[in-house]
């Protein structure tokens, strides 16, 4: 019987046994869309084959795609092969539209990576391979254009195994079945065991190995001639497994678009249950602290190219377009889906958009926001101070497409200014930023810890603030405000990245604080921290593969070095030299023209975005940008305080002086550090007028020195609270716990210091004291043994000779100190590295000595103990571990630094001697 589409459709009648979503990925011009046409034709989904060069393909249905001969937008088509229902997803191949392709990966069950047999494995193919690995997608490979002269199967297979994965195996080749099984047996242990036991490998086992990314089936052919297409379809039928979905409704959004009538379409994959028309859809599970919404699905559409059919319901595994949803975005999880996926790829070029004269710029901005919604990698930036619209894109091709879309959709003829690089900023060392917002009848203060993150990690927001200090709802609002805004740096006004931002402390006013107050305070705290910090300018880098004739290799190497790039040892293939490495986008973006010129058209440059790395010419860029962080009124670095019924602005370098809250957190070496300011590096010292602490008066410096020693004067406490609350002196003790401050790790020396003298009698009358007991609650003192040993000079010197002697000496000192205090003293030593150690608690005279069990540190033991008894008893922890202090403070314990404990022990010894002499 002749293999016509009609006959195939008739032969494939009946209900499909499985449904899989298969995505097609490729570098541009590899023949991906041609393969899609071949698959649809072979499945009987269409009667005639379309061709890209003829502009009549089913999937490239936009006029711009047909005129340029490239895929710009991802599309889907529905077909069947035997008992398999197939949803085919065609993705863009051009590097400028990689983000569109990446979003589609979220809804694929399997991927077919199309590689041109004439070009082999190019740089962008390797980028696609890494993305597929990140999304853990099983992959089939189709090596296309094998009908062209010079293509050789064995060499290409070796290239796949070398550059992609050693388990790339040819399927449907000339191997005998035993040879095929033997090859597969080398790909995984289970397959080897099955082959040795049975002498064969089942299709079920092969399917499992493909799904687990242990085998990557490879097919060779020519999509244009329909060679190898049916073999690929048969492989998808035999060696794929349909996912198992849950009963509860869930969906993953991967694309936002609009139809020819302007109706908003949400493209999604149903990942559980059933989606029905008029069914309520919500983001409740994935919203986190954001807005929760619920809307109804008005219409469900199943698309094939530009045509669609409406259905009443879509089962799990189905990909459909939904109307009626207005708040969705690409990557969003709906229903039971708990996570929102974020794209890895980012735009690297920015252009100013020039609109026709007389255009309403506000209306134009709203139109452009629609395009941004549909293409998240298209960043529209409104610069209010200049009344300018800027757009960030992946490259010049995407910019041309954008110009065409604006004209087609909104009728505007636009022009673009010169392109410039999208820079970013980060920090090199931890820093604490403080923001205060207190105009009349408003109040909020926020303390943030800014720490450098790993390159490419983006911004992470956390909290280490106790809810005793600031209510959890305020904390969530602060984090939400920080996450929503795009924050800029102080060097060039570029977006910041690769930082871990932790909420340390904050304060609200019972009567005057409103939600917007914390938004102001949090943003000011972040800017304040950036202003203090050592900042680093980042620029995008390309990973490149450069192929040139051997005679031009020297010129190529010299050029890469001139462009501040780096490369690995050159490789040679026949008469061709190959360089792989990385270089700044700013240097490499126009280099292809040079390559073509000096190689006579025989050179080829392939680039993919590597990520952001330190800028090679920061001073030059900073000077060119001319950004004035102090003149940026939308992003202030200072804070607003209130005195005598009126608000006043305090500059960034004096905010710490006026702050009402002490986070209790200190950074090592915060008195002398370097600061990147206005593009120049300045060394800070106590005498420097522009130090990170500001040019503060002598009294303020004394107060700061007092904080570092672990104390704060009574006069300062009263003055701060008079400024903040207008309180009388007898009301101050209600707020005293907010002003415990500590040594460099953030610990507090218990007891009061008056004029620098330790008064244990007064401390005994306050909850912070470690004098003789005068409280109804039972008191506990937990001491981190080894932390104290290595913090005290005497014990540290002794430990250098014999650690056991240092431990015994500390036990004796603590025993004497407990006799003076009369409390319960627990001395904790790490023994977590002792294999099989069950832990031990022993009584040593009048104190308890704890040796922790295997895999339990002293910190963990202390945290657990404080959590268990901290609410019922007064617990003090002696340690200089800054993180430990923050944790135990959150559980209600009092913090005592190693230096503070030493001073308390020495003071107790002096008082005992004085008492003994007096009695004698």
């Amino acid at each position: 019987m002749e293999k016509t589409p009609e006959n195939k459709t008739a032969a494939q009648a009946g209900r499909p046994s499985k449904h899989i979503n298969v995505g097609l990925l490729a570098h541009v011009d590899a023949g991906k869309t041609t393969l899609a046409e071949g698959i649809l034709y072979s499945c009987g989904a269409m009667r005639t084959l379309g061709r890209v060069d003829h502009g009549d393909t089913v999937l490239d249905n936009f006029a711009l795609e047909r005129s340029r001969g490239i895929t710009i937008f991802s599309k889907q088509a529905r077909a069947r092969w035997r008992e398999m229902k197939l949803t085919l997803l065609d993705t863009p191949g051009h590097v400028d539209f990689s983000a569109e392709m990446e979003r589609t990966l979220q809804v694929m069950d399997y991927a077919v990576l199309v590689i041109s047999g004439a070009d082999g494995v190019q740089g962008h193919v390797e980028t696609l391979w890494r993305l597929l690995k990140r999304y853990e997608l099983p992959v089939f490979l189709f090596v296309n254009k094998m009908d062209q002269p010079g293509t050789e199967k064995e060499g290409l297979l070796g290239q796949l195994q070398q550059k992609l994965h050693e388990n790339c195996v040819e399927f449907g080749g000339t191997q005998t079945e035993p040879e095929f099984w033997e090859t597969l047996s080398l790909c995984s242990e289970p397959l080897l065991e099955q082959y040795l036991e049975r002498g064969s490998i089942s299709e079920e086992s092969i399917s499992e190995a493909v799904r687990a990314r242990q085998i990557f089936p490879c097919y060779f052919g020519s999509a244009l001639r329909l060679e190898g297409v049916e073999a690929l379809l048969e492989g998808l039928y035999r060696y794929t497994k349909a996912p198992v979905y849950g009963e509860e409704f869930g969906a993953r959004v991967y694309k936002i678009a609009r139809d020819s009538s302007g109706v908003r379409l949400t493209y999604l994959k149903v990942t559980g249950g059933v989606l029905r028309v008029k069914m309520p859809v919500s983001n409740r599970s994935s919203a986190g602290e954001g807005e929760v919404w619920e809307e109804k699905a008005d219409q469900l559409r199943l698309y094939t190219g530009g045509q669609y059919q409406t259905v009443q319901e879509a089962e799990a595994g189905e990909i459909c377009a939904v109307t009626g949803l207005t708040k969705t975005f690409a990557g969003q999880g709906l229903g039971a889906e708990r996570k929102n996926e974020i794209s890895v790829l980012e735009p690297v070029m920015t252009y100013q958009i020039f609109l026709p004269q007389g255009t309403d710029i506000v209306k134009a901005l709203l139109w452009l926001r629609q395009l941004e919604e549909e293409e998240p990698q298209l960043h529209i930036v409104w610069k209010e101070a200049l009344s300018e619209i800027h757009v960030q894109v992946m490259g010049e091709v995407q910019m041309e497409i954008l110009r065409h879309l604006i004209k087609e959709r909104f009728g505007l003829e636009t022009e673009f200014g010169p392109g410039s690089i999208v820079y970013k900023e980060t920090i090199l060392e931890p820093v604490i930023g403080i923001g205060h917002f207190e105009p009349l009848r408003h109040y909020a203060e926020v303390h943030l810890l800014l720490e450098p993150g790993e390159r490419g990690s983006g911004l992470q927001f956390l909290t280490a603030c106790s809810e005793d200090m600031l209510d959890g709802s305020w904390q969530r609002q602060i984090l939400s405000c920080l996450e929503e805004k795009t924050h800029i740096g102080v060097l060039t006004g570029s977006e910041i990245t690769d930082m871990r931002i932790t909420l340390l402390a904050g304060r609200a006013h019972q009567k005057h604080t409103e939600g917007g107050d914390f938004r102001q305070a949090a943003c000011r705290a972040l800017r304040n921290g950036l202003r203090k910090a050592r900042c680093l300018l980042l620029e995008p880098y390309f990973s490149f593969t450069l192929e040139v004739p051997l005679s031009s290799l020297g010129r190529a190497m010299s050029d890469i070095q001139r462009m501040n790039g780096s490369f690995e040892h050159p490789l040679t293939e026949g008469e061709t030299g190959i360089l792989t490495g990385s270089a700044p986008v700013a240097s490499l973006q126009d280099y292809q023209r040079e390559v073509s010129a000096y190689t006579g058209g025989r050179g080829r440059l392939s680039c993919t975005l590597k990520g952001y790395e330190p800028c090679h010419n920061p001073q030059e860029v900073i000077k060119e940008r001319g950004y004035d962080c102090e003149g940026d009124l939308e992003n202030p670095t200072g804070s607003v305080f209130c005195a005598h019924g009126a608000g006043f602005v305090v500059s960034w370098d004096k905010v710490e002086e006026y702050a009402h809250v002490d986070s209790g957190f200190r950074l090592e070496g915060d008195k002398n550090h370097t600061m990147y300011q206005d593009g120049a590096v300045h060394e800070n010292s106590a005498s420097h007028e522009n130090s990170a602490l500001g040019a503060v008066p002598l009294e303020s410096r004394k107060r700061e020195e007092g904080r570092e020693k672990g104390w704060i004067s009574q006069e300062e406490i009263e003055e701060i609270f008079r400024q903040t609350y207008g309180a009388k002196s007898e009301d101050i003790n209600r707020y005293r716990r907010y002003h415990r401050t500590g040594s460099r790790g953030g610990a507090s020396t218990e007891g009061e210091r008056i004029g620098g003298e330790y008064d244990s009698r007064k401390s005994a009358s306050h909850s912070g004291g470690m004098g003789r007991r005068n409280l109804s609650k039972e008191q506990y003192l937990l001491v981190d043994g080894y932390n104290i040993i290595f913090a005290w000079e005497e014990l540290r010197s002794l430990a250098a000779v014999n650690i056991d002697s240092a431990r015994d000496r500390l036990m004796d000192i603590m025993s004497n100190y407990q006799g003076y205090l009369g409390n319960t003293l627990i001395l904790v030593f790490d023994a977590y590295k002792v294999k099989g150690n069950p832990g031990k608690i022993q009584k040593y005279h009048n104190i308890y000595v704890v040796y922790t069990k295997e895999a339990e540190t002293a910190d963990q033991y202390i945290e657990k103990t404080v959590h268990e008894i901290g609410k019922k008893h007064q617990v003090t922890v002696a340690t200089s571990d800054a993180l430990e202090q923050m944790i135990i403070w959150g559980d209600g314990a009092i913090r005592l630094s190693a230096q503070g404990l030493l001073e308390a022990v020495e003071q107790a010894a002096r008082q005992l001697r004085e008492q003994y002499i007096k009695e004698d």
Side-chain angles (χ1 to χ4, degrees):
M1 185 173 65
E2 186 180 354
K3 284 189 175 181
T4 63
E6 292 83 356
N7 290 336
K8 289 175 184 174
T9 302
Q12 294 168 6
R15 184 173 178 81
S17 61
K18 63 180 176 182
H19 177 198
I20 60 170
N21 300 298
V22 177
L24 299 180
L25 295 86
H27 185 40
V28 68
D29 291 333
K32 171 181 51 58
T33 301
T34 303
L35 176 62
E37 292 285 309
I39 289 174
L40 293 176
Y41 179 79
S42 298
C43 289
M46 60 186 194
R47 293 177 176 274
T48 58
L49 271 171
R51 289 185 55 155
V52 173
D53 52 349
H54 293 171
D56 59 356
T57 58
V58 171
L59 295 178
D60 284 348
N61 56 317
F62 284 84
L64 198 58
E65 292 177 314
R66 289 179 171 176
S67 64
R68 294 187 65 99
I70 60 172
T71 301
I72 298 172
F73 307 102
S74 62
K75 260 86 72 200
Q76 58 279 341
R78 303 168 69 245
R80 286 178 58 179
W81 179 259
R82 300 218 288 181
E83 291 83 31
M84 176 179 67
K85 183 177 168 183
L86 188 68
T87 299
L88 203 62
L89 297 159
D90 189 19
T91 66
H94 197 285
V95 67
D96 280 11
F97 307 104
S98 295
E100 175 90 1
M101 172 274 303
E102 186 190 345
R103 287 193 298 275
T104 313
L105 294 179
Q106 303 170 25
V107 297
M108 294 180 189
D109 300 324
Y110 290 83
V112 174
L113 182 58
V114 185
I115 297 169
S116 169
D119 298 328
V121 179
Q122 297 176 296
H124 188 57
V125 172
E126 295 182 72
T127 300
L128 293 175
W129 187 261
R130 287 191 292 271
L131 277 173
L132 291 167
K133 182 179 180 181
R134 176 178 179 262
Y135 284 91
E136 297 181 346
L137 274 172
V139 183
F140 287 72
L141 294 101
F142 185 82
V143 183
N144 195 20
K145 302 185 180 181
M146 292 301 294
D147 56 330
Q148 293 191 7
T151 56
E152 192 259 322
K153 183 187 297 185
E154 285 72 22
L156 287 167
L157 184 60
Q159 194 178 130
L160 295 176
Q161 292 170 342
Q162 180 185 356
K163 294 188 175 182
L164 300 184
H165 200 285
E166 60 183 3
N167 288 357
C168 292
V169 178
E170 183 185 2
F171 277 52
T174 57
Q175 285 181 309
T176 63
E177 203 167 54
E179 290 174 336
F180 177 59
W181 289 332
E182 185 177 352
T183 302
L184 294 181
S185 69
L186 302 176
C187 295
S188 76
E189 288 291 334
L191 293 181
L192 178 61
E193 291 176 6
Q194 187 176 130
Y195 177 67
L196 293 176
E197 183 179 333
R198 303 180 184 176
S200 64
I201 299 176
S202 66
E203 283 190 8
E204 177 72 16
S205 298
I206 298 172
S207 299
E208 289 290 349
V210 170
R211 190 174 183 178
R213 289 179 52 87
Q214 294 171 344
I215 296 175
F216 302 97
C218 300
Y219 296 86
F220 294 81
S222 170
L224 187 62
R225 298 173 182 269
L226 295 180
E227 295 172 2
V229 176
E230 289 195 5
L232 173 63
L233 281 168
E234 192 63 21
L236 290 170
Y237 174 72
R238 294 174 61 184
Y239 304 119
T240 59
K241 298 174 72 69
V244 178
Y245 300 103
E247 295 295 324
E248 185 180 1
F249 168 73
R252 170 71 60 194
V253 179
Y254 75 96
K255 177 181 173 182
I256 304 296
R258 283 171 173 78
D259 65 11
S260 56
S261 302
V263 176
R264 189 179 193 269
L265 301 175
T266 297
Y267 285 83
L268 55 81
K269 175 186 177 182
V270 181
T271 58
V274 179
L275 175 61
R276 296 183 175 87
V277 173
K278 299 301 179 183
M279 173 177 157
V281 177
S282 171
N283 70 330
R284 188 167 287 105
S285 297
S286 64
E289 300 300 329
E291 178 192 1
V292 176
W293 53 263
E294 183 175 282
E295 297 177 324
K296 288 186 178 180
D298 289 340
Q299 191 180 63
L300 306 183
R301 301 179 181 180
L302 302 181
Y303 273 88
T304 295
Q307 305 298 316
Y308 69 87
Q309 68 178 92
T310 59
V311 293
Q312 290 301 305
E313 65 177 36
E315 297 179 347
E318 195 73 72
I319 289 177
C320 60
V322 183
T323 67
L325 305 182
T326 64
K327 298 181 179 180
T328 50
F329 58 85
Q332 188 175 31
L334 303 177
E337 289 289 338
R338 298 184 177 277
K339 288 178 62 181
N340 296 324
E341 297 290 344
I342 300 174
S343 175
V344 173
L345 301 171
E346 300 177 276
V348 296
M349 299 295 294
T350 181
Y351 299 84
Q352 182 183 351
I353 299 179
F354 295 102
L355 300 170
Q357 192 170 6
T359 303
D360 185 339
I361 195 168
V362 175
K363 185 181 291 186
L365 182 61
L366 292 175
W367 287 338
L368 291 169
R369 293 288 186 204
Q370 287 186 17
L371 296 179
E372 183 182 39
E373 182 183 56
E374 298 170 20
E375 174 51 74
Q377 246 37 52
L378 184 71
H379 291 182
I380 303 297
V381 180
W382 167 243
K383 298 198 173 183
E384 188 169 1
L386 302 173
S387 294
E388 293 178 353
I389 301 175
H390 290 246
V391 59
Q392 296 177 1
V393 295
M394 294 293 288
E396 291 185 4
V397 174
Q398 190 183 18
M399 185 183 67
E400 291 178 26
I401 302 302
L402 176 62
R403 181 188 288 113
H404 182 91
L405 285 175
I406 293 172
K407 181 181 179 181
E408 184 182 74
R409 186 86 66 87
F410 311 118
L412 294 178
E413 291 280 359
T414 55
E415 295 295 332
F416 291 85
S420 59
I421 299 297
V422 177
Y423 292 93
K424 294 195 176 185
E425 298 180 29
T426 189
I427 59 175
L428 290 170
E429 293 176 352
V431 66
I432 293 175
I434 301 173
H436 188 96
F437 187 69
E438 192 187 2
L440 191 61
R441 294 189 178 88
H442 292 269
Y443 187 93
E445 182 163 306
V446 172
H447 292 231
L448 299 176
L449 171 64
L450 280 56
E451 299 172 280
E454 293 182 7
R455 196 70 70 234
S457 61
L459 296 179
Q460 302 171 59
F461 300 93
L462 310 110
T463 180
C465 181
S466 166
E467 292 198 10
D468 291 338
M469 172 179 280
L470 186 64
D471 186 78
S473 62
W474 289 127
Q475 294 190 35
R476 288 189 290 274
Q477 188 174 83
I478 290 170
L479 295 180
S480 178
C481 291
L482 290 172
E483 289 174 356
E484 288 172 2
K485 184 177 179 181
T486 298
H487 302 280
I488 62 174
V490 297
L491 299 180
T492 61
S494 301
E495 183 180 350
I496 61 172
T497 188
D498 299 345
M499 290 166 56
R500 179 185 172 99
I501 300 171
T502 305
L503 174 62
L504 293 180
R507 175 178 291 172
H509 191 282
Q510 188 173 1
K511 181 178 180 182
H512 295 309
T513 299
E514 299 176 359
D517 299 346
F518 273 113
R519 178 184 297 274
Q520 282 281 343
C523 292
R524 289 170 185 267
L526 181 55
R527 290 286 288 177
N528 179 258
L530 293 172
R531 192 68 174 88
K532 294 178 183 178
R534 290 181 61 202
C535 295
L536 177 68
L537 188 64
L538 303 174
E539 67 176 332
Y541 269 64
F542 276 146
S543 291
F544 68 84
T545 300
L546 178 58
E547 300 178 28
V548 296
L550 286 176
S551 58
S552 302
L553 186 59
R555 162 73 187 272
M557 295 168 66
S558 176
D559 285 351
I560 297 300
Q561 291 173 336
R562 172 177 55 81
M563 293 186 292
N564 299 282
S566 61
F567 50 85
E568 299 175 5
H569 187 76
L571 301 176
T572 58
E573 290 184 2
E575 295 299 316
T576 302
I578 302 173
L579 285 178
T580 58
S582 63
V585 171
S587 305
L588 208 57
Q589 58 180 334
D590 297 322
Y591 187 55
Q592 177 62 60
R593 295 190 185 96
E594 286 188 47
V595 172
S596 298
Y598 71 73
T599 63
R602 293 186 295 162
R604 185 171 60 183
L605 176 66
S606 175
C607 296
T608 57
L609 184 62
K610 178 183 179 183
Y612 277 78
E613 295 185 5
C615 181
H616 72 282
N617 58 338
Q619 300 293 346
E620 182 182 327
V621 173
I622 291 169
K623 184 178 180 180
E624 180 187 332
R625 293 295 173 99
Y627 176 69
D628 178 13
C629 63
E630 294 304 315
D632 188 348
L633 301 182
E634 293 183 16
N635 300 281
T637 59
S639 287
V640 180
F641 289 83
C642 187
H644 309 297
F648 63 97
V649 176
V650 174
S651 64
W652 68 272
D653 55 336
K654 293 186 173 66
V655 171
E656 192 168 357
E657 262 185 80
Y658 288 82
H660 294 176
V661 179
D662 190 336
S663 66
F665 195 91
R666 294 291 181 271
L667 295 171
E668 290 292 336
D670 62 356
K671 287 286 285 183
N672 296 286
H673 64 277
T674 57
M675 176 180 62
Y676 216 150
Q677 181 178 324
D678 299 329
V681 178
H682 302 287
E683 293 294 332
N684 287 327
S685 63
S687 62
H688 200 293
E689 289 186 355
N690 295 318
S691 71
L693 296 176
V696 298
L698 177 62
E699 288 302 314
S700 298
R701 288 204 302 270
K702 286 182 177 179
R703 288 199 297 268
E704 187 61 35
E705 290 167 3
R707 287 191 181 102
E708 291 198 354
K709 292 178 181 176
W711 58 272
I712 181 171
S713 71
Q714 180 70 19
E715 290 79 4
E716 186 182 2
I717 293 174
E718 293 175 359
E719 178 61 26
I720 289 173
F721 280 97
R722 266 196 296 273
Q723 288 181 5
T724 308
Y725 300 102
K728 297 179 180 179
S729 58
E730 59 267 23
D731 296 328
I732 290 173
N733 286 332
R734 328 183 351 211
Y735 307 103
R736 190 177 304 281
R737 66 191 180 90
Y738 290 117
H739 286 272
R740 289 198 197 105
T741 175
S743 64
R744 206 169 279 245
S748 63
T749 301
E750 304 304 333
E752 303 282 343
R753 279 188 178 269
I754 302 176
E757 292 295 322
Y758 185 93
D759 189 340
S760 63
R761 292 168 299 174
K762 178 166 282 193
S763 76
S765 67
H766 293 294
S767 63
M770 280 305 301
R772 293 185 181 275
R773 282 186 294 177
N774 192 28
L775 294 170
S776 57
K777 282 188 176 182
E778 185 174 354
Q779 292 185 327
Y780 285 80
L781 174 60
L782 277 68
V783 180
D784 187 339
Y786 288 123
N787 185 283
I788 300 300
I789 285 175
F790 291 104
W792 291 4
E793 180 60 36
E794 174 197 352
L795 297 181
R796 186 165 64 246
S797 301
L798 188 57
V801 179
N802 190 316
I803 189 66
D804 293 334
S805 299
R807 191 166 54 237
D808 293 342
R809 174 61 179 149
L810 179 59
M811 290 162 61
D812 289 336
I813 293 172
M814 291 296 99
S815 182
N816 291 336
Y817 186 49
Q818 193 281 336
Y820 171 77
L821 292 178
N823 62 2
T824 301
L825 195 152
I826 304 173
L827 181 59
V828 185
F829 290 106
D830 287 303
Y832 67 96
K833 290 186 178 179
V834 180
K835 188 172 179 61
N837 175 37
K840 182 172 66 173
I841 301 176
Q842 70 179 47
K843 190 78 179 289
Y844 182 79
H845 301 312
N846 54 345
I847 67 173
Y848 294 93
V849 180
V850 175
Y851 296 93
T852 62
K853 63 186 178 182
E854 182 185 7
E856 182 182 47
T857 64
D859 291 348
Q860 292 170 331
Y861 180 88
I862 290 171
E863 289 170 26
K864 179 179 67 177
T865 305
V866 169
H867 183 74
E868 290 174 353
I869 67 176
K871 302 299 182 184
K872 297 181 180 179
H873 305 287
Q874 181 181 317
V875 182
T876 301
V877 176
T879 179
S880 285
D881 186 311
L883 181 59
E884 179 68 13
Q885 290 172 339
M886 294 302 297
I887 294 171
I888 60 100
W889 191 26
D891 282 325
I894 299 167
R895 301 163 300 159
L896 182 62
S897 68
Q899 183 63 30
L901 178 62
L902 179 60
E903 292 177 5
V905 168
E906 291 174 346
Q907 178 66 16
R910 284 197 298 270
Q911 289 193 357
L912 286 173
R913 282 196 299 272
E914 291 170 5
Q915 184 177 352
Y916 175 77
I917 293 171
K918 186 176 180 180
E919 291 176 355
D920 190 53

